[in-house]
Amino acid sequence: MSKVTEAIKQKLRDQTYIASDRVATALYLANELGKPILCEGPAGVGKTALSQAWAAVTGRRLIRLQCYEGLDESKALYEWEYAKQMLYTQLLRDQLQDVVGNVSSLQEAAHRIAAEEAVFFSKQFLLPRPLLQAILSPKPVVLLIDEVDRADVEFEAFLLEILSEFQVTIPELGTLRGTHQPVVLLTSNNTRELSEALKRRCLYLHITYPPLEQELTIVQLKVPDLAPTLAREAVELVHEIRRLDLRKSPSIGETIDWVRALVKLNADSLEPDIVDNTLSLLLKHETDIVKVERALRAS
Amino acid sequence: MERRLIQFIAGLRAAGVRISIAESEDAFKAVQRVGMRNQTLFKEALQLTLIKKGADTPTLEALFPIYFQAPSIQANNLIDKLSPEEQQLLHRTVDELLAQLSDSTDEVRQPRLPKELSKEQQIEQTRQLVEALLSGQSVAAETFEQASQQVLPNSTRNVDLSRRWSLEQRIMHHMGGQLLTKVKDPLPGQLHKAGLNNDTINELMQGLTANLELFQEQVAEQIELSIAQQWADQHSERTHQADQLMDRTLQQLTEQEATLLRQEIRRLVAQLRSKIALRQKQAKRNSLDIRKTLRRNMRYGGVPLELIYKTQDKKPQLLLLCDISNSMRKVVEFTLRLVYELQDQVSNVRTFTYIDTLTEISQTFAQASPEMALHQVATHLRPHHPNTDLGRCLADLLQNYREMITPQTTVIIVGDACNSWNDPRVNVMAKLQQFSKEIMWLNPRPENLWEANDCDMLKYRPFAQAVYQVGTLTELTVAIDQLFREN
């Protein structure tokens, strides 16, 4: 069994993503049991990066649905292209005249048009949004539903339906069902509590800031031309900063950005003035920067 | 092993983790795929399928070792190392020693066992124990079951370390441990007399001691497991008890009952919370949001086929003023707990405690549990028992914390309004009402006593929009519910 998880970890590593045992087990079980994975954790720890890496590993296309407040069915599932339908009606006005042409009553005219209804509500005029794209895709895909905690409760309920059946009923077209079940990853920044029903349906993965050694490996993998001593100093400093009480602790993404900046500035070691100048890459609040400067000066 | 997994899930549920049947099914399927050989992966699989909230992870971490302890070292089979003649010699010596014991007239001291074993039974148990130790067998489940039924009390979970140690000793005695020393100590001497060489004897004795230690460890683990299972079994009984305690006057609860209520409070307010959240969702339709409507309907060429209404953010802002004189402590503690649990339904909470001076506990309250926060405040009080002076504290509030009282703030006063004949300062209360949105009063004192003695409740009453008499947890819950009512 551990061979399988080791293999998964190695494949992810080839895509420059360092995964823990838990992540590898989650991916394995999601595949075997056919369940979605819900990734929760602070911003910037690699939740979205995980789905990108996994898509690359499995060779599947990544379909991404970014959630926001007010996201509804038409933006997430499908929409009728109203403008296109209107345009075609205008262009085909003559043909329509032929169809309706010589009728005796309004009712018959309406009947004739109703008979042609299927034209204007066919697949040509259907605009599939990410969820429908994922379901109907001819090849297997990875579906990423990003920041699902920003959408509202109604959207979650709607999502639940889709995730359990993987089929969509469009009144005009009938029930559409795909051939392949996508691998679904949901991410959440924990700004609000998700509904129990959604959580129960998924495997729950809590990703947090990694331990020192793991973060060091990540940094060295992502920023290859970095001196090992500088890498260690930098990562240790970031861990020290995380221990302080800040509004927003630096995430892994920010660590990588900072280290890249250090490389660009040809820094050999962490001198105080270089750190001061580049602190804004790590910390995004003025109060945090002040606090950290004070702490650094004290030590 | 499946049985063990089911017990583990029951244990988690008893500890407050909500696990549905679908999730336990997922756990079983996952364990089938992952297997139990690799303990890390096994634990990860359980974590992924059973724990759906970050806050429940420590519970799993705590209970996992109790239910799924990996056998670290195996006890050694000492008999196999001996040659057949040596084995015979060993058996004969042990038999002789046991026979001596049964012949001796020493009274065998028994620790207070409910069911006393007769001497023959004790000797038989010792024989079995010696056999088990020599051959390196582990504790048989049935033997342990029998012994523990005699010894383990129907106690609650928090069996502290010293009691556990005494339980261990009693079970060991029951399984023959008491007479063991009488066999073990003379054994080397007798074996030497019988002709076994010294090296073999030393090796044997060392192995025996090691096996005995291992045996004792296994007994300890089994005890922990039994206690955890008992706790899980009593879970439904406890929830029933807690439901009944909802209607008892808070000030009259015994410490044990109060502890039970505290543990169950999350479950008790779950219903309240969902009621409140649902109420917010079903808010009455407000006015039309023109901008959003037009934006949404652009795809229809501006024809308003879909209407969007304005939503209001209805989360209240609270300012709590809590009287922490002795009679009020329990009520205040439970009010704070309720508010703490409903934190995500309010936008802002500032908490103050008062007796004769005002103290802000918002910071301590946010970081620690309510009871810790109250305890901390109580320890900072002056040694003499102060008299309540609400008027002075109100003046203090308006003077020093004026900016916290806005027209969106709801002020909640939790107190019995007994001011020890100090000046009630009704005018300050009037100002407070003017500056805030509304004042809500939670008073545990029975209504007929509101004009008795030093209670100024009737003087304050005209300035409070909502006054509730809260004696029991049910009444408290109803009052807090009203806080979130629709305006």
Side-chain angles (χ1 to χ4, degrees), chain A residues 22 32 79 82 200 202, chain B residues 23 26 33 44 52 299:
Chain A
R22 183 169 300 176
E32 290 285 310
E79 226 186 335
Y82 184 71
R200 291 194 188 301
C202 309
Chain B
E23 286 168 321
D26 288 338
R33 299 282 199 286
E44 297 295 354
K52 299 294 165 74
R299 75 171 90 109

Side-chain angles (χ1 to χ4, degrees), chain B residues 166-428:
Chain B
S166 85
L167 281 176
E168 256 181 63
Q169 293 299 306
R170 283 158 76 181
I171 293 186
M172 281 295 292
H173 280 308
H174 201 93
M175 292 208 274
Q178 197 187 12
L179 292 178
L180 185 64
T181 41
K182 295 213 175 150
V183 173
K184 189 161 167 271
D185 291 341
L187 192 60
Q190 295 286 45
L191 286 176
H192 185 73
K193 262 196 249 168
L196 236 53
N197 73 348
N198 277 344
D199 287 335
T200 323
I201 297 181
N202 283 340
E203 226 183 275
L204 189 68
M205 292 316 289
Q206 274 177 6
L208 198 59
T209 319
N211 280 358
L212 184 60
E213 277 176 16
L214 202 63
F215 191 77
Q216 282 170 330
E217 264 180 41
Q218 285 172 342
V219 169
E221 282 166 19
Q222 290 277 30
I223 291 179
E224 283 229 28
L225 187 58
S226 300
I227 292 178
Q229 281 171 345
Q230 248 180 26
W231 176 254
D233 288 335
Q234 291 167 349
H235 178 56
S236 59
E237 206 183 287
R238 276 199 307 278
T239 48
H240 181 64
Q241 270 182 336
D243 287 331
Q244 287 185 325
L245 287 175
M246 286 278 283
D247 292 318
R248 293 272 303 279
T249 312
L250 287 168
Q251 284 161 332
Q252 290 168 356
L253 287 178
T254 64
E255 198 44 51
Q256 209 182 8
E257 292 169 334
T259 315
L260 185 56
L261 262 191
R262 277 180 210 124
Q263 285 164 350
E264 297 290 318
I265 204 160
R266 196 184 295 173
R267 187 180 58 83
L268 295 168
V269 303
Q271 214 182 11
L272 180 61
R273 172 196 267 130
S274 47
K275 217 195 312 180
I276 293 173
L278 203 60
R279 198 182 285 153
Q280 283 194 349
K281 273 294 148 191
Q282 291 170 348
K284 264 198 312 242
R285 284 284 171 82
N286 302 312
S287 53
L288 199 61
D289 189 336
I290 306 272
R291 187 174 64 84
K292 283 191 184 159
T293 307
L294 283 180
R295 172 72 64 88
R296 176 69 61 88
N297 288 291
M298 270 307 149
R299 75 171 90 109
Y300 303 125
V303 178
L305 293 177
E306 287 178 26
L307 297 177
I308 314 281
Y309 293 93
K310 285 193 189 166
T311 49
Q312 256 182 347
D313 185 25
K314 284 194 169 180
K315 289 187 184 175
Q317 283 181 15
L318 300 181
L319 192 139
L320 289 168
L321 269 176
C322 306
D323 180 351
I324 50 169
S325 49
N326 282 331
S327 55
M328 291 291 305
R329 288 272 169 88
K330 282 224 172 59
V331 178
V332 165
E333 187 207 318
F334 277 100
T335 312
L336 287 180
R337 275 180 194 278
L338 274 185
V339 173
Y340 186 71
E341 289 294 328
L342 294 173
Q343 278 184 103
D344 56 335
Q345 297 297 332
V346 297
S347 62
N348 199 6
V349 183
R350 309 294 297 244
T351 321
F352 292 85
T353 56
Y354 71 89
I355 306 184
D356 60 341
T357 50
L358 200 65
T359 321
E360 182 175 4
I361 64 165
S362 310
Q363 273 304 101
T364 37
F365 183 44
Q367 288 160 3
S369 71
E371 132 190 299
M372 287 294 304
L374 280 177
H375 184 68
Q376 265 182 351
V377 171
T379 49
H380 288 142
L381 285 178
R382 284 175 298 197
H384 74 273
H385 299 292
N387 291 323
T388 320
D389 190 351
L390 176 55
R392 182 167 143 199
C393 298
L394 283 178
D396 192 8
L397 180 72
L398 275 180
Q399 192 177 11
N400 296 332
Y401 300 100
R402 172 73 185 87
E403 70 280 359
M404 288 186 202
I405 307 171
T406 69
Q408 287 83 34
T409 315
T410 304
V411 179
I412 304 181
I413 305 183
V414 187
D416 55 3
C418 290
N419 277 329
S420 310
W421 288 281
N422 286 316
D423 178 7
R425 300 211 210 184
V426 179
N427 54 337
V428 182

